[in-house]
Amino acid sequence: MQHEITPLWVAKDRTASLIDRAPWARVDDMPWKEISDGKEMVVRGGYRYLQVWKCVPSSDRPCSLSEGAGHCGGIHAEWFLPVLCLPEKNPVHIEDLVLSSATGESVPVYVPNRGSGRAGRHMWVPADDCELWRELVGEKAPLPVAPEEEEDDQITFAEQDIDRACRAGEEGWFVSDARPIRDLGQPTGGYTLPRMPLQRSVKPSLITSVERAAASAALGCPPWELGLCAGCGQLMRRHGRHTAMYCAICRSELNGR
């Protein structure tokens, strides 16, 4: 990286020591015969997509703040593996990642753990998702400097004998060392924008560019189709074909009267 070369470490197991210590990708431990025959190597970990959604009762995802106990009305943004996206994304192959990382279509991102601040996640993401994420959280660089490693984060030799016994044909899952699983696969990022200001005020509502970009991604429409609900004042898809003056929640309340 001192020579402006971005590394791409490829791991074959979930306990690899360099996971989340550098830009990485995990593939299956495939036999050499399948690789030589041209079988595609699917990226199982290390590549994610940004998912942005508005936290309302009709959302397909639970609230990130209340852990599903309610809905905060804000806009959540988190990074998900392709298989966990809504709708599900197509899997990424390692040869495509190598190409897209060279052309700039995929870029590395480091997302600090906003809970403790001592650790974070390295991942490869689409360049457009990276740009939206930086706009949402206010980060100027796509790969911020990682926090200093603590003593238990250092890569050291475990000084344990590796189990070299052949397990071919045996049932079950065997581990040759006691290293912890580092590729957990759960969503990460956990950034939330607060509820949009209501229209019922003395001064008109001021919608920032960050709020507009987040709402555009959450609602799946271009920014110029956004507008305020005539009932609650929340941002919604107000303009364009097949749109309405009231959001879905206000329409259900009006129809129930």
Side-chain angles (χ1 to χ4, degrees), residues 41-75:
M41 303 184 73
V42 178
V43 176
R44 303 298 184 184
Y47 197 96
R48 294 172 180 260
Y49 290 91
L50 181 63
Q51 297 271 273
V52 183
W53 72 97
K54 190 171 182 180
C55 188
V56 294
S58 59
S59 299
D60 294 330
R61 297 190 182 275
C63 179
S64 301
L65 301 180
S66 64
E67 298 182 353
H71 298 87
C72 66
I75 295 180

PDB file of all heavy atoms in Angstrom, residues 41-75:
ATOM      1  N   MET A  41     -15.101 -19.971  -9.102  1.00  0.00           N
ATOM      2  CA  MET A  41     -14.879 -19.849  -7.669  1.00  0.00           C
ATOM      3  C   MET A  41     -15.723 -18.690  -7.150  1.00  0.00           C
ATOM      4  O   MET A  41     -15.445 -17.512  -7.430  1.00  0.00           O
ATOM      5  CB  MET A  41     -13.397 -19.621  -7.368  1.00  0.00           C
ATOM      6  CG  MET A  41     -12.493 -20.708  -7.931  1.00  0.00           C
ATOM      7  SD  MET A  41     -10.747 -20.497  -7.490  1.00  0.00           S
ATOM      8  CE  MET A  41     -10.805 -20.953  -5.761  1.00  0.00           C
ATOM      9  N   VAL A  42     -16.757 -19.006  -6.405  1.00  0.00           N
ATOM     10  CA  VAL A  42     -17.679 -18.002  -5.877  1.00  0.00           C
ATOM     11  C   VAL A  42     -17.084 -17.374  -4.626  1.00  0.00           C
ATOM     12  O   VAL A  42     -16.546 -18.071  -3.758  1.00  0.00           O
ATOM     13  CB  VAL A  42     -19.051 -18.637  -5.553  1.00  0.00           C
ATOM     14  CG1 VAL A  42     -19.994 -17.598  -4.965  1.00  0.00           C
ATOM     15  CG2 VAL A  42     -19.647 -19.256  -6.805  1.00  0.00           C
ATOM     16  N   VAL A  43     -17.170 -16.049  -4.527  1.00  0.00           N
ATOM     17  CA  VAL A  43     -16.724 -15.333  -3.333  1.00  0.00           C
ATOM     18  C   VAL A  43     -17.771 -15.520  -2.245  1.00  0.00           C
ATOM     19  O   VAL A  43     -18.904 -15.057  -2.368  1.00  0.00           O
ATOM     20  CB  VAL A  43     -16.507 -13.837  -3.635  1.00  0.00           C
ATOM     21  CG1 VAL A  43     -16.148 -13.081  -2.363  1.00  0.00           C
ATOM     22  CG2 VAL A  43     -15.418 -13.658  -4.685  1.00  0.00           C
ATOM     23  N   ARG A  44     -17.401 -16.214  -1.169  1.00  0.00           N
ATOM     24  CA  ARG A  44     -18.321 -16.497  -0.072  1.00  0.00           C
ATOM     25  C   ARG A  44     -18.303 -15.422   1.000  1.00  0.00           C
ATOM     26  O   ARG A  44     -19.273 -15.271   1.756  1.00  0.00           O
ATOM     27  CB  ARG A  44     -17.969 -17.849   0.562  1.00  0.00           C
ATOM     28  CG  ARG A  44     -17.971 -19.025  -0.400  1.00  0.00           C
ATOM     29  CD  ARG A  44     -19.336 -19.256  -1.003  1.00  0.00           C
ATOM     30  NE  ARG A  44     -19.349 -20.447  -1.856  1.00  0.00           N
ATOM     31  CZ  ARG A  44     -20.407 -20.826  -2.557  1.00  0.00           C
ATOM     32  NH1 ARG A  44     -21.524 -20.137  -2.512  1.00  0.00           N
ATOM     33  NH2 ARG A  44     -20.343 -21.918  -3.316  1.00  0.00           N
ATOM     34  N   GLY A  45     -17.232 -14.688   1.116  1.00  0.00           N
ATOM     35  CA  GLY A  45     -17.118 -13.637   2.122  1.00  0.00           C
ATOM     36  C   GLY A  45     -16.152 -12.568   1.667  1.00  0.00           C
ATOM     37  O   GLY A  45     -15.248 -12.826   0.860  1.00  0.00           O
ATOM     38  N   GLY A  46     -16.335 -11.343   2.169  1.00  0.00           N
ATOM     39  CA  GLY A  46     -15.434 -10.250   1.829  1.00  0.00           C
ATOM     40  C   GLY A  46     -15.972  -9.286   0.802  1.00  0.00           C
ATOM     41  O   GLY A  46     -15.376  -8.230   0.581  1.00  0.00           O
ATOM     42  N   TYR A  47     -17.106  -9.630   0.143  1.00  0.00           N
ATOM     43  CA  TYR A  47     -17.734  -8.718  -0.822  1.00  0.00           C
ATOM     44  C   TYR A  47     -19.158  -8.449  -0.357  1.00  0.00           C
ATOM     45  O   TYR A  47     -19.918  -9.385  -0.084  1.00  0.00           O
ATOM     46  CB  TYR A  47     -17.751  -9.312  -2.231  1.00  0.00           C
ATOM     47  CG  TYR A  47     -17.994  -8.278  -3.313  1.00  0.00           C
ATOM     48  CD1 TYR A  47     -16.927  -7.715  -3.996  1.00  0.00           C
ATOM     49  CD2 TYR A  47     -19.278  -7.856  -3.630  1.00  0.00           C
ATOM     50  CE1 TYR A  47     -17.135  -6.758  -4.987  1.00  0.00           C
ATOM     51  CE2 TYR A  47     -19.492  -6.898  -4.604  1.00  0.00           C
ATOM     52  CZ  TYR A  47     -18.425  -6.353  -5.283  1.00  0.00           C
ATOM     53  OH  TYR A  47     -18.632  -5.399  -6.239  1.00  0.00           O
ATOM     54  N   ARG A  48     -19.515  -7.166  -0.264  1.00  0.00           N
ATOM     55  CA  ARG A  48     -20.821  -6.800   0.269  1.00  0.00           C
ATOM     56  C   ARG A  48     -21.463  -5.686  -0.556  1.00  0.00           C
ATOM     57  O   ARG A  48     -20.798  -4.967  -1.301  1.00  0.00           O
ATOM     58  CB  ARG A  48     -20.709  -6.345   1.735  1.00  0.00           C
ATOM     59  CG  ARG A  48     -20.293  -7.467   2.687  1.00  0.00           C
ATOM     60  CD  ARG A  48     -20.017  -6.940   4.074  1.00  0.00           C
ATOM     61  NE  ARG A  48     -19.626  -8.001   4.982  1.00  0.00           N
ATOM     62  CZ  ARG A  48     -20.428  -8.579   5.860  1.00  0.00           C
ATOM     63  NH1 ARG A  48     -21.688  -8.186   5.961  1.00  0.00           N
ATOM     64  NH2 ARG A  48     -19.988  -9.532   6.664  1.00  0.00           N
ATOM     65  N   TYR A  49     -22.780  -5.566  -0.377  1.00  0.00           N
ATOM     66  CA  TYR A  49     -23.565  -4.506  -1.017  1.00  0.00           C
ATOM     67  C   TYR A  49     -24.206  -3.644   0.066  1.00  0.00           C
ATOM     68  O   TYR A  49     -24.586  -4.145   1.131  1.00  0.00           O
ATOM     69  CB  TYR A  49     -24.662  -5.097  -1.904  1.00  0.00           C
ATOM     70  CG  TYR A  49     -24.164  -5.778  -3.153  1.00  0.00           C
ATOM     71  CD1 TYR A  49     -23.867  -7.133  -3.155  1.00  0.00           C
ATOM     72  CD2 TYR A  49     -23.998  -5.059  -4.336  1.00  0.00           C
ATOM     73  CE1 TYR A  49     -23.420  -7.761  -4.310  1.00  0.00           C
ATOM     74  CE2 TYR A  49     -23.549  -5.688  -5.494  1.00  0.00           C
ATOM     75  CZ  TYR A  49     -23.265  -7.039  -5.468  1.00  0.00           C
ATOM     76  OH  TYR A  49     -22.821  -7.656  -6.607  1.00  0.00           O
ATOM     77  N   LEU A  50     -24.349  -2.363  -0.223  1.00  0.00           N
ATOM     78  CA  LEU A  50     -24.990  -1.440   0.702  1.00  0.00           C
ATOM     79  C   LEU A  50     -26.504  -1.520   0.531  1.00  0.00           C
ATOM     80  O   LEU A  50     -27.023  -1.412  -0.576  1.00  0.00           O
ATOM     81  CB  LEU A  50     -24.515  -0.005   0.447  1.00  0.00           C
ATOM     82  CG  LEU A  50     -25.089   1.069   1.377  1.00  0.00           C
ATOM     83  CD1 LEU A  50     -24.659   0.826   2.823  1.00  0.00           C
ATOM     84  CD2 LEU A  50     -24.657   2.461   0.920  1.00  0.00           C
ATOM     85  N   GLN A  51     -27.209  -1.718   1.644  1.00  0.00           N
ATOM     86  CA  GLN A  51     -28.663  -1.755   1.645  1.00  0.00           C
ATOM     87  C   GLN A  51     -29.183  -0.593   2.489  1.00  0.00           C
ATOM     88  O   GLN A  51     -28.776  -0.431   3.650  1.00  0.00           O
ATOM     89  CB  GLN A  51     -29.176  -3.078   2.216  1.00  0.00           C
ATOM     90  CG  GLN A  51     -28.763  -4.300   1.391  1.00  0.00           C
ATOM     91  CD  GLN A  51     -29.765  -4.628   0.307  1.00  0.00           C
ATOM     92  OE1 GLN A  51     -30.739  -5.344   0.511  1.00  0.00           O
ATOM     93  NE2 GLN A  51     -29.521  -4.095  -0.888  1.00  0.00           N
ATOM     94  N   VAL A  52     -30.039   0.219   1.903  1.00  0.00           N
ATOM     95  CA  VAL A  52     -30.617   1.376   2.586  1.00  0.00           C
ATOM     96  C   VAL A  52     -32.120   1.215   2.590  1.00  0.00           C
ATOM     97  O   VAL A  52     -32.721   0.950   1.549  1.00  0.00           O
ATOM     98  CB  VAL A  52     -30.210   2.697   1.884  1.00  0.00           C
ATOM     99  CG1 VAL A  52     -30.756   3.892   2.646  1.00  0.00           C
ATOM    100  CG2 VAL A  52     -28.690   2.804   1.764  1.00  0.00           C
ATOM    101  N   TRP A  53     -32.749   1.341   3.760  1.00  0.00           N
ATOM    102  CA  TRP A  53     -34.197   1.201   3.838  1.00  0.00           C
ATOM    103  C   TRP A  53     -34.760   2.123   4.908  1.00  0.00           C
ATOM    104  O   TRP A  53     -34.091   2.477   5.875  1.00  0.00           O
ATOM    105  CB  TRP A  53     -34.590  -0.247   4.110  1.00  0.00           C
ATOM    106  CG  TRP A  53     -34.308  -0.749   5.502  1.00  0.00           C
ATOM    107  CD1 TRP A  53     -35.167  -0.823   6.552  1.00  0.00           C
ATOM    108  CD2 TRP A  53     -33.054  -1.257   5.987  1.00  0.00           C
ATOM    109  NE1 TRP A  53     -34.544  -1.338   7.663  1.00  0.00           N
ATOM    110  CE2 TRP A  53     -33.245  -1.626   7.335  1.00  0.00           C
ATOM    111  CE3 TRP A  53     -31.794  -1.437   5.415  1.00  0.00           C
ATOM    112  CZ2 TRP A  53     -32.223  -2.150   8.117  1.00  0.00           C
ATOM    113  CZ3 TRP A  53     -30.777  -1.958   6.192  1.00  0.00           C
ATOM    114  CH2 TRP A  53     -31.004  -2.304   7.519  1.00  0.00           C
ATOM    115  N   LYS A  54     -36.014   2.517   4.699  1.00  0.00           N
ATOM    116  CA  LYS A  54     -36.713   3.349   5.660  1.00  0.00           C
ATOM    117  C   LYS A  54     -37.406   2.465   6.683  1.00  0.00           C
ATOM    118  O   LYS A  54     -38.092   1.501   6.338  1.00  0.00           O
ATOM    119  CB  LYS A  54     -37.742   4.232   4.946  1.00  0.00           C
ATOM    120  CG  LYS A  54     -38.341   5.305   5.858  1.00  0.00           C
ATOM    121  CD  LYS A  54     -39.184   6.281   5.069  1.00  0.00           C
ATOM    122  CE  LYS A  54     -39.737   7.370   5.966  1.00  0.00           C
ATOM    123  NZ  LYS A  54     -40.559   8.352   5.222  1.00  0.00           N
ATOM    124  N   CYS A  55     -37.202   2.786   7.954  1.00  0.00           N
ATOM    125  CA  CYS A  55     -37.685   1.936   9.042  1.00  0.00           C
ATOM    126  C   CYS A  55     -39.139   2.278   9.362  1.00  0.00           C
ATOM    127  O   CYS A  55     -39.439   3.133  10.196  1.00  0.00           O
ATOM    128  CB  CYS A  55     -36.801   2.120  10.275  1.00  0.00           C
ATOM    129  SG  CYS A  55     -37.161   0.959  11.595  1.00  0.00           S
ATOM    130  N   VAL A  56     -40.054   1.607   8.683  1.00  0.00           N
ATOM    131  CA  VAL A  56     -41.491   1.776   8.886  1.00  0.00           C
ATOM    132  C   VAL A  56     -42.102   0.379   9.031  1.00  0.00           C
ATOM    133  O   VAL A  56     -41.454  -0.630   8.712  1.00  0.00           O
ATOM    134  CB  VAL A  56     -42.142   2.540   7.707  1.00  0.00           C
ATOM    135  CG1 VAL A  56     -41.633   3.978   7.656  1.00  0.00           C
ATOM    136  CG2 VAL A  56     -41.863   1.835   6.379  1.00  0.00           C
ATOM    137  N   PRO A  57     -43.343   0.270   9.515  1.00  0.00           N
ATOM    138  CA  PRO A  57     -43.958  -1.057   9.696  1.00  0.00           C
ATOM    139  C   PRO A  57     -43.998  -1.899   8.431  1.00  0.00           C
ATOM    140  O   PRO A  57     -44.001  -3.130   8.515  1.00  0.00           O
ATOM    141  CB  PRO A  57     -45.366  -0.722  10.196  1.00  0.00           C
ATOM    142  CG  PRO A  57     -45.211   0.594  10.892  1.00  0.00           C
ATOM    143  CD  PRO A  57     -44.169   1.343  10.104  1.00  0.00           C
ATOM    144  N   SER A  58     -44.029  -1.275   7.260  1.00  0.00           N
ATOM    145  CA  SER A  58     -44.090  -2.048   6.017  1.00  0.00           C
ATOM    146  C   SER A  58     -42.715  -2.489   5.520  1.00  0.00           C
ATOM    147  O   SER A  58     -42.627  -3.127   4.468  1.00  0.00           O
ATOM    148  CB  SER A  58     -44.779  -1.216   4.933  1.00  0.00           C
ATOM    149  OG  SER A  58     -44.070   0.000   4.706  1.00  0.00           O
ATOM    150  N   SER A  59     -41.644  -2.175   6.248  1.00  0.00           N
ATOM    151  CA  SER A  59     -40.296  -2.544   5.820  1.00  0.00           C
ATOM    152  C   SER A  59     -40.100  -4.059   5.886  1.00  0.00           C
ATOM    153  O   SER A  59     -40.631  -4.726   6.769  1.00  0.00           O
ATOM    154  CB  SER A  59     -39.249  -1.858   6.713  1.00  0.00           C
ATOM    155  OG  SER A  59     -39.359  -0.452   6.634  1.00  0.00           O
ATOM    156  N   ASP A  60     -39.325  -4.575   4.948  1.00  0.00           N
ATOM    157  CA  ASP A  60     -39.007  -6.001   4.937  1.00  0.00           C
ATOM    158  C   ASP A  60     -37.958  -6.358   5.985  1.00  0.00           C
ATOM    159  O   ASP A  60     -37.819  -7.525   6.353  1.00  0.00           O
ATOM    160  CB  ASP A  60     -38.508  -6.424   3.557  1.00  0.00           C
ATOM    161  CG  ASP A  60     -39.584  -6.315   2.488  1.00  0.00           C
ATOM    162  OD1 ASP A  60     -40.763  -6.484   2.831  1.00  0.00           O
ATOM    163  OD2 ASP A  60     -39.237  -6.049   1.324  1.00  0.00           O
ATOM    164  N   ARG A  61     -37.207  -5.372   6.461  1.00  0.00           N
ATOM    165  CA  ARG A  61     -36.162  -5.616   7.452  1.00  0.00           C
ATOM    166  C   ARG A  61     -36.578  -5.053   8.808  1.00  0.00           C
ATOM    167  O   ARG A  61     -37.304  -4.065   8.876  1.00  0.00           O
ATOM    168  CB  ARG A  61     -34.837  -4.991   7.017  1.00  0.00           C
ATOM    169  CG  ARG A  61     -34.263  -5.586   5.737  1.00  0.00           C
ATOM    170  CD  ARG A  61     -32.845  -5.082   5.523  1.00  0.00           C
ATOM    171  NE  ARG A  61     -32.283  -5.581   4.281  1.00  0.00           N
ATOM    172  CZ  ARG A  61     -31.696  -6.757   4.153  1.00  0.00           C
ATOM    173  NH1 ARG A  61     -31.625  -7.562   5.180  1.00  0.00           N
ATOM    174  NH2 ARG A  61     -31.186  -7.139   2.989  1.00  0.00           N
ATOM    175  N   PRO A  62     -36.104  -5.657   9.903  1.00  0.00           N
ATOM    176  CA  PRO A  62     -36.399  -5.131  11.236  1.00  0.00           C
ATOM    177  C   PRO A  62     -35.579  -3.888  11.532  1.00  0.00           C
ATOM    178  O   PRO A  62     -34.601  -3.583  10.846  1.00  0.00           O
ATOM    179  CB  PRO A  62     -36.008  -6.286  12.168  1.00  0.00           C
ATOM    180  CG  PRO A  62     -34.941  -7.014  11.408  1.00  0.00           C
ATOM    181  CD  PRO A  62     -35.332  -6.910   9.954  1.00  0.00           C
ATOM    182  N   CYS A  63     -35.957  -3.178  12.565  1.00  0.00           N
ATOM    183  CA  CYS A  63     -35.250  -1.964  12.973  1.00  0.00           C
ATOM    184  C   CYS A  63     -33.885  -2.339  13.538  1.00  0.00           C
ATOM    185  O   CYS A  63     -33.782  -3.232  14.396  1.00  0.00           O
ATOM    186  CB  CYS A  63     -36.068  -1.194  13.996  1.00  0.00           C
ATOM    187  SG  CYS A  63     -35.260   0.315  14.605  1.00  0.00           S
ATOM    188  N   SER A  64     -32.839  -1.656  13.103  1.00  0.00           N
ATOM    189  CA  SER A  64     -31.491  -1.950  13.579  1.00  0.00           C
ATOM    190  C   SER A  64     -31.261  -1.444  14.996  1.00  0.00           C
ATOM    191  O   SER A  64     -30.419  -1.976  15.719  1.00  0.00           O
ATOM    192  CB  SER A  64     -30.455  -1.319  12.644  1.00  0.00           C
ATOM    193  OG  SER A  64     -30.594  -1.808  11.324  1.00  0.00           O
ATOM    194  N   LEU A  65     -32.005  -0.428  15.401  1.00  0.00           N
ATOM    195  CA  LEU A  65     -31.808   0.159  16.728  1.00  0.00           C
ATOM    196  C   LEU A  65     -32.567  -0.600  17.806  1.00  0.00           C
ATOM    197  O   LEU A  65     -32.053  -0.835  18.900  1.00  0.00           O
ATOM    198  CB  LEU A  65     -32.231   1.630  16.723  1.00  0.00           C
ATOM    199  CG  LEU A  65     -31.484   2.542  15.739  1.00  0.00           C
ATOM    200  CD1 LEU A  65     -32.007   3.962  15.831  1.00  0.00           C
ATOM    201  CD2 LEU A  65     -29.981   2.500  16.008  1.00  0.00           C
ATOM    202  N   SER A  66     -33.807  -0.989  17.512  1.00  0.00           N
ATOM    203  CA  SER A  66     -34.638  -1.672  18.505  1.00  0.00           C
ATOM    204  C   SER A  66     -34.549  -3.185  18.400  1.00  0.00           C
ATOM    205  O   SER A  66     -35.220  -3.895  19.150  1.00  0.00           O
ATOM    206  CB  SER A  66     -36.097  -1.244  18.353  1.00  0.00           C
ATOM    207  OG  SER A  66     -36.615  -1.650  17.095  1.00  0.00           O
ATOM    208  N   GLU A  67     -33.705  -3.694  17.459  1.00  0.00           N
ATOM    209  CA  GLU A  67     -33.553  -5.135  17.237  1.00  0.00           C
ATOM    210  C   GLU A  67     -34.892  -5.812  16.945  1.00  0.00           C
ATOM    211  O   GLU A  67     -35.187  -6.897  17.438  1.00  0.00           O
ATOM    212  CB  GLU A  67     -32.869  -5.796  18.439  1.00  0.00           C
ATOM    213  CG  GLU A  67     -31.457  -5.285  18.684  1.00  0.00           C
ATOM    214  CD  GLU A  67     -30.790  -5.978  19.849  1.00  0.00           C
ATOM    215  OE1 GLU A  67     -31.478  -6.761  20.545  1.00  0.00           O
ATOM    216  OE2 GLU A  67     -29.586  -5.758  20.066  1.00  0.00           O
ATOM    217  N   GLY A  68     -35.718  -5.136  16.159  1.00  0.00           N
ATOM    218  CA  GLY A  68     -36.984  -5.710  15.732  1.00  0.00           C
ATOM    219  C   GLY A  68     -38.142  -5.458  16.660  1.00  0.00           C
ATOM    220  O   GLY A  68     -39.264  -5.887  16.390  1.00  0.00           O
ATOM    221  N   ALA A  69     -37.921  -4.738  17.776  1.00  0.00           N
ATOM    222  CA  ALA A  69     -38.995  -4.503  18.735  1.00  0.00           C
ATOM    223  C   ALA A  69     -39.961  -3.415  18.277  1.00  0.00           C
ATOM    224  O   ALA A  69     -41.063  -3.305  18.801  1.00  0.00           O
ATOM    225  CB  ALA A  69     -38.411  -4.129  20.094  1.00  0.00           C
ATOM    226  N   GLY A  70     -39.558  -2.600  17.321  1.00  0.00           N
ATOM    227  CA  GLY A  70     -40.415  -1.514  16.841  1.00  0.00           C
ATOM    228  C   GLY A  70     -39.813  -0.908  15.596  1.00  0.00           C
ATOM    229  O   GLY A  70     -38.921  -1.487  14.974  1.00  0.00           O
ATOM    230  N   HIS A  71     -40.298   0.261  15.219  1.00  0.00           N
ATOM    231  CA  HIS A  71     -39.814   0.961  14.045  1.00  0.00           C
ATOM    232  C   HIS A  71     -39.554   2.416  14.424  1.00  0.00           C
ATOM    233  O   HIS A  71     -40.418   3.076  15.003  1.00  0.00           O
ATOM    234  CB  HIS A  71     -40.821   0.874  12.893  1.00  0.00           C
ATOM    235  CG  HIS A  71     -41.078  -0.534  12.441  1.00  0.00           C
ATOM    236  ND1 HIS A  71     -42.031  -1.337  13.036  1.00  0.00           N
ATOM    237  CD2 HIS A  71     -40.493  -1.286  11.473  1.00  0.00           C
ATOM    238  CE1 HIS A  71     -42.036  -2.514  12.442  1.00  0.00           C
ATOM    239  NE2 HIS A  71     -41.119  -2.513  11.492  1.00  0.00           N
ATOM    240  N   CYS A  72     -38.351   2.891  14.102  1.00  0.00           N
ATOM    241  CA  CYS A  72     -37.916   4.212  14.542  1.00  0.00           C
ATOM    242  C   CYS A  72     -38.270   5.315  13.556  1.00  0.00           C
ATOM    243  O   CYS A  72     -38.162   6.494  13.891  1.00  0.00           O
ATOM    244  CB  CYS A  72     -36.407   4.210  14.804  1.00  0.00           C
ATOM    245  SG  CYS A  72     -35.392   3.955  13.317  1.00  0.00           S
ATOM    246  N   GLY A  73     -38.638   4.980  12.331  1.00  0.00           N
ATOM    247  CA  GLY A  73     -38.971   5.989  11.341  1.00  0.00           C
ATOM    248  C   GLY A  73     -37.769   6.583  10.640  1.00  0.00           C
ATOM    249  O   GLY A  73     -37.922   7.444   9.773  1.00  0.00           O
ATOM    250  N   GLY A  74     -36.559   6.164  11.018  1.00  0.00           N
ATOM    251  CA  GLY A  74     -35.357   6.680  10.380  1.00  0.00           C
ATOM    252  C   GLY A  74     -34.989   5.893   9.128  1.00  0.00           C
ATOM    253  O   GLY A  74     -35.756   5.065   8.640  1.00  0.00           O
ATOM    254  N   ILE A  75     -33.787   6.148   8.621  1.00  0.00           N
ATOM    255  CA  ILE A  75     -33.283   5.464   7.440  1.00  0.00           C
ATOM    256  C   ILE A  75     -32.021   4.719   7.835  1.00  0.00           C
ATOM    257  O   ILE A  75     -31.055   5.324   8.291  1.00  0.00           O
ATOM    258  CB  ILE A  75     -33.001   6.443   6.287  1.00  0.00           C
ATOM    259  CG1 ILE A  75     -34.311   7.080   5.806  1.00  0.00           C
ATOM    260  CG2 ILE A  75     -32.312   5.741   5.131  1.00  0.00           C
ATOM    261  CD1 ILE A  75     -34.137   8.055   4.666  1.00  0.00           C
TER     262      ILE A  75
END
